[in-house]
Amino acid sequence: MNPIDGMLFGLSIATQPMNILAALVGALLGTAIGVLPGLGPVAGVALVLPLTYSLHPVTGLIALAGIFYGCMYGGSTTSVLVNIPGETASVVTCLDGYQMARKGRAGAALSVMAIGSFVAGTSSIVGVMLFAPLLSNFALSFGPAEFFALTSVGLVVLSRVSGGSFARSLFMTFLGLLLATVGMESITAVSRFSFDVLELSQGIEIVPVAVGLFGISEVLFVVEDLLGVPRAIPVKLRELLPTREEWRRTLPAWGRGTALGFVMGFLPGPMNVLSTFASYRLEKAVSRRKDEFGKGAIEGVAGPEAANNAAATSQFVPLLSLGLPFSAIMALLMAAMMIHGVQPGPLLVVQRPDIFWGIMASMYVGNIALLILNLPLVGVWVSILRIPMHALLPCIVLFAMIGSYSVRNSILDLWVLVGFGVLGYFLRKLKFDLAPMILAIVLGPMIERYFRTALFLSRGDLGIFVASPISKVIWAAGLLVVVVGGLLALRRRARAPVVEVD
């Protein structure tokens, strides 16, 4: 099935009434979650994930994908109106978006964001249509040894590029791998680390872990912060249209941001976040009005927003084609697929074309919905910010508990939810990145399965892991990233100023 036929097939699935409703509800719910400062797409998907178990796999995954790219837009809305990023990828938008709002151009900034998100998302979907099947065909030449190298190196590289200390990220990765070994082993059915607890023999469920680490810990942070949310700048519908000069400056920024974000989305790490910083630096470098940046330059809004949405879309390529999530949100979507009995990877486009092409086509529907509905609903999103936290936070906690319990109807999962919520709070206080831990929990069983299958095929010969040229290239690339990253860290440390203590 070529990309055009595949997309037409996907549109026939995505335009079914139930799937259209899922895309609309997911996009709007994701926008609402993004508007709430601090929650973000990871917590949003983790909280809503249990509700999709009763849905058809295609419908449930379309809803989760809608929440993801809806959060991208909602987080930017608060950046412009309140100067508080709804999620991490919207930090850069605060720099010029809020300054435009203070000058009375909040409507223009929101319009540029909405249309730019649509342009970048739509262009990236076309790229995903072309690249994902090609990558899937290439991945068919992978065996267990190659997949073991890919998943193992992917975890280490993600620990290297996720930000912060490499040692801290590795610690979180090893902690996630340790948790992934709890329960019944998939090949020999031997129960490990269950301590004669029947519920633990089933393993630790990803949903309460993710909801606790990202959702409950965020609730604790909001409770701790007593400053509240500043008053949002009002926006009128007649102010939404940019001027001719703003259009002229915006169009090239959209193109540069889309291209940069799409390419960066193929790389491991939080690229939807890093692409916004890269796009902002690029726009400032090529602009003739460098002095306007930080004071309300519309290119500082248009470029990063396009890069954000393009990277968010292209991150689906390694997930769907290789079965390798390059970020925490992709790890949760991968977990959702596996719970629904869908194995992402090179055979997905052949075995489940309804899933593959249905998700791709649903992004068109979701992006159109965001473009048409979100600008008129700006007043609604602003009103969400006025909900008292003492009323909102208990609802979030109750929703998290119901969702976590409904997965296996196990009281143990509620204790896991609470325990990892408290653990996530203290880990974030200590500046640990939680994403490597989630990725390790999801990829851990796959790494073990690939490792043992390869050893069975080679009759215990470890040379199978470096026998093929593909494996050698993967191991060499991983070693290069770790070594170069370590050298750069040492260089930065050597250049850091020495503080003398009298």
Side-chain angles (χ1 to χ4, degrees), residues 281-306:
R281 295 188 65 177
L282 175 63
E283 293 304 319
K284 189 173 183 179
V286 302
S287 177
R288 298 178 180 177
R289 303 177 177 86
K290 293 181 174 60
D291 57 318
E292 292 186 16
F293 280 79
K295 302 177 182 177
I298 196 166
E299 300 97 326
V301 176
E305 279 302 307

Side-chain angles (χ1 to χ4, degrees), residues 1-13 129 349 353 356-358 360-361:
M1 187 182 298
N2 60 55
I4 296 178
D5 292 338
M7 185 53 66
L8 292 175
F9 173 67
L11 285 173
S12 67
I13 296 173
M129 287 168 47
V349 67
F356 184 90
W357 294 111
M360 291 295 101

Side-chain angles (χ1 to χ4, degrees), residues 205-225:
E205 179 63 40
I206 183 65
V207 173
V209 173
V211 175
L213 285 176
F214 292 97
I216 301 300
S217 67
E218 187 60 43
V219 169
L220 295 176
F221 268 95
V222 174
V223 171
E224 181 185 47
D225 184 10

Side-chain angles (χ1 to χ4, degrees), residues 440-464:
I441 294 175
V442 174
L443 292 179
M446 299 173 59
I447 292 174
E448 182 181 10
R449 185 168 66 251
Y450 293 141
F451 179 77
R452 299 189 64 175
T453 303
L455 286 181
F456 280 137
L457 293 176
S458 66
R459 296 184 179 181
D461 183 10
L462 293 174
I464 190 174

